[in-house]
Amino acid sequence: MPTINDNFLKLKAGYLFPEIARRVAAFQAENPDAKIIKLGIGDVTEPLPEACIIAMHKAVDDQSKRGTFHGYGPEQGYAWLREKIVEHDYAARGCDIAADEIFVSDGSKCDTGNILDILAPGGGPRGNIIAVCDPVYPVYVDTNVMRGNTGPAGDAGEYGGLVYLPMTAENGFNPPLPEGKVDVIYLCFPNNPTGAVAPKAVLEAYVQYALKHDALILFDAAYEAFITDPRIPHSIYEIDGAKECAIEFRSFSKNAGFTGTRCAFTVVPKGVTGLSGSGERVGLHRLWNRRQTTKFNGVSYIVQRGAEAVYSEAGGEQVRDLVDFYLANARLITKALTEAGMEVFGGVNAPYVWVKAPDGGTSWEFFDLLLREAHVVGTPGSGFGAAGEGYFRISAFNSRDAVQRAMERIGDQLLT
Ligand code: PLP
């Protein structure tokens, strides 16, 4: 009989979204006429930019003819896409990133999880101490649990494990630097779920910490396109020294609506290193390249052509329009909730609005209130970690009509 990876048994049951679905289904069964509006999940609703559609149609035609047909491509992504990424996302911001430091993939969810393949697993003397923010994008925690990166009580122990950096209104949603030494730090800015962004000084402090303690920063910039404040860095590589200590994850999911089309990329600068069992410093670029060329066969030619079109003049404008559309939704949500007397965060440089549950209530109490009174569904903050208790996430990813109706109902039902 095969033996299993027991770490999977340590995962907390996928509680959050199934529990939301259960409560929504129960409410709908009791109130069959209620038109429930869902502002819970972070999935886009608007169609792809036209430039991407045109490029993908053309790429399908390429695949229909000898001479332009493409079989397996480079596992790391086509050079023409990696070069456009460098030019527009990095060189344009003064970041010295080379095309061969970019690895195109089918998603940041996979990359943020798969990156653990090249780090020592937990449960042994070489286990890493890993810091995650709290609240947190749950993928970071679950993939670490799968890899055995948990101490005896589920948190950090002798053989590595997780430590949590609280992000709350009290610290302005700037996670404090870890107490003591950690080996790996996940940062996500603009942040899911709080919608917060990190000022340059905060990122500088993290890079300084990482350089001093020989730590690795895993920087998830999936929502980078939503930054509106010109003072906020878009990339960790805008910070001096980050090329020696940080890996960055980017995705086409939220800017260009590729959640169902699938394309992302990860930047592994050649200067980022880790320690081998025999005490040598080894470049992580080499290991990630090996990992990808062994376990991944590249993103489809058609999809990479679609992603390339994001960097065309028309594509750039269309992406800007999409992002502005969701940000306008976020402003409507912020306005309605503020007028209803609630304390509201995020939503300016991110598609998520983070609300304090009124009257000191819990996240689930507010969930039930909103569902019962306004027939609106959001996501309880406690589902993202202990420090999310008492907060609630509302996603701006929906049609204008749905957001407007949801906010009118909140205004009518919850106005204090
Ligand atoms: N990173 C964060 C912080 C996210 O919120 C999400 C999706 O919601 C992802 C990554 C997933 O990105 P992708 O669609 O590229 O897998």
Side-chain angles (χ1 to χ4, degrees), residues 11 16-17 109 112 132-133 135-145 162 192-193 379 383-385 393:
L11 290 165
L16 180 62
F17 289 101
K109 185 181 196 173
T112 53
V132 293
C133 295
V136 63
Y137 175 50
V139 171
Y140 310 153
V141 171
D142 285 358
T143 52
N144 272 288
V145 173
L162 295 167
N192 178 11
T379 313
F384 296 101
R393 189 189 79 174

Side-chain angles (χ1 to χ4, degrees), residues 42 107-110 137 140 188 192 220 222-223 251 253-254 262-264 352:
S108 287
K109 185 181 196 173
C110 346
Y137 175 50
Y140 310 153
C188 172
N192 178 11
D220 185 343
Y223 298 94
S251 173
S253 282
K254 312 295 166 114
R262 311 303 303 144
C263 197
Y352 298 119

Side-chain angles (χ1 to χ4, degrees), residues 163-242:
V163 296
Y164 294 88
L165 310 172
M167 292 175 78
T168 59
E170 288 68 42
N171 62 26
F173 301 99
N174 290 317
L177 289 172
E179 282 170 20
K181 186 179 167 348
V182 304
D183 305 299
V184 180
I185 306 162
Y186 287 80
L187 293 177
C188 172
F189 289 108
N191 187 253
N192 178 11
T194 65
V197 281
K200 191 162 190 195
V202 169
L203 296 182
E204 280 169 349
Y206 266 91
V207 168
Q208 283 314 312
Y209 173 97
L211 293 172
K212 179 168 166 215
H213 294 283
D214 236 334
L216 170 67
I217 294 176
L218 299 176
F219 192 77
D220 185 343
Y223 298 94
E224 163 277 330
F226 291 83
I227 295 173
T228 52
D229 182 339
R231 293 166 302 179
I232 300 294
H234 287 235
S235 164
I236 192 72
Y237 305 118
E238 289 177 54
I239 309 298
D240 284 345

